[in-house]
Amino acid sequence: MKTIGIDFGGTSVKLGVLRADAMGVPEVVDVAPAIPTAEYDGPEPMLVRIRESVELLRDRHAGVCAIGVGVPGFVDWERGLVYGLTNVPGWRLFPLRDRLAKMTRLPVCLDNDANAMAYAEWRFGAGAGCRSMVGVTLGTGVGGGLILDGSIFRGFNSLAGEIGQMSIDFRGKDGPYGNFGALERYVGHHRVTARAQARYAEAGRPRSQSDCTPDRVAAAAATGDPVAIKLWQDVARELATALAAIVWLLNPEKVVVGGGMSRAGDVLFEPLRRSLESQLDGPFLEGFELAAARFGPEAGVVGTALLAADAVGAGAA
């Protein structure tokens, strides 16, 4: 079975063909050129471009049977409806699943991108074999996907898993929805960059924005830079506060952390693990594991394509 996964990001849209190898493990065997999101004004022009990329991949790979799409925003999974896309204007209450199905004449499965990442990690990644797992994506914002008792938990109207909007301080920073202390107001990509710039300036070592990206700050921390080390310790403590609340509530076997900022590696995961364990009691830690995601930038394509394959194979995702 071959399926196409579409990872719709705020910067670009990525498409790839997924098929199982000889051992049954999925692999991305081909990708189309990335589509720059900002070049298209609204859904319809973008869908025309996506259809062209789908046709290109189908011409190169016979037997594609379904399409999966993951988007960064609120999704009604049952109706295939996009409530709105994060940082992408014009996609309000848009029936993406049905429109793309009509244009490509293929079944389409639509989900939140963090759900797709969590699904990929649960099926074949760092969470393989778990009955219950929480997936966390650290990027521009903070996303989450919940695997409970062997299936995705989407909630009452498909909106569960918005970890980035969980409060870590009820007197904290204003959130975008009237919530205070929302996690992603502290640990999102741009927030880390801004905090790094401010801290280097306070230390009398001013740096440019490009020198304060999470990747650069992680590299600095790995060489022993005290400003960078302290920043990652603070980010880890803030993230651990939210994750501890999730573990107390859901008692998962694993929390799997991915996304661009997870590339910080040990400078993030070591203090994160210590801080998380310090906030949990013994029984909750027994058998529990905090893990880095296996899939990197291709996680969205893999997850959406897997969701589509399972939807076609089983009649429902």
Side-chain angles (χ1 to χ4, degrees), residues 192-238:
V192 170
T193 298
R195 292 171 72 180
Q197 275 193 284
R199 292 192 183 195
Y200 278 115
E202 290 170 3
R205 300 164 54 196
R207 295 190 174 187
S208 68
Q209 186 178 57
S210 62
D211 286 332
C212 290
T213 62
D215 286 345
R216 293 286 186 91
V217 179
T223 64
D225 185 318
V227 173
I229 290 172
K230 180 62 167 61
L231 177 57
W232 282 111
Q233 288 174 342
D234 291 344
V235 167
R237 187 178 67 253
E238 291 154 354

Side-chain angles (χ1 to χ4, degrees), residues 248-284:
W248 281 109
L249 179 67
L250 300 178
N251 186 211
E253 295 169 64
K254 281 190 179 182
V255 171
V256 175
V257 180
M261 280 181 41
S262 70
R263 293 194 300 264
D266 288 345
V267 299
L268 170 63
F269 279 92
E270 287 184 1
L272 177 59
R273 187 170 286 107
R274 290 195 302 269
S275 185
L276 181 57
E277 290 177 354
S278 74
Q279 298 181 57
L280 297 172
D281 194 39
F284 282 83

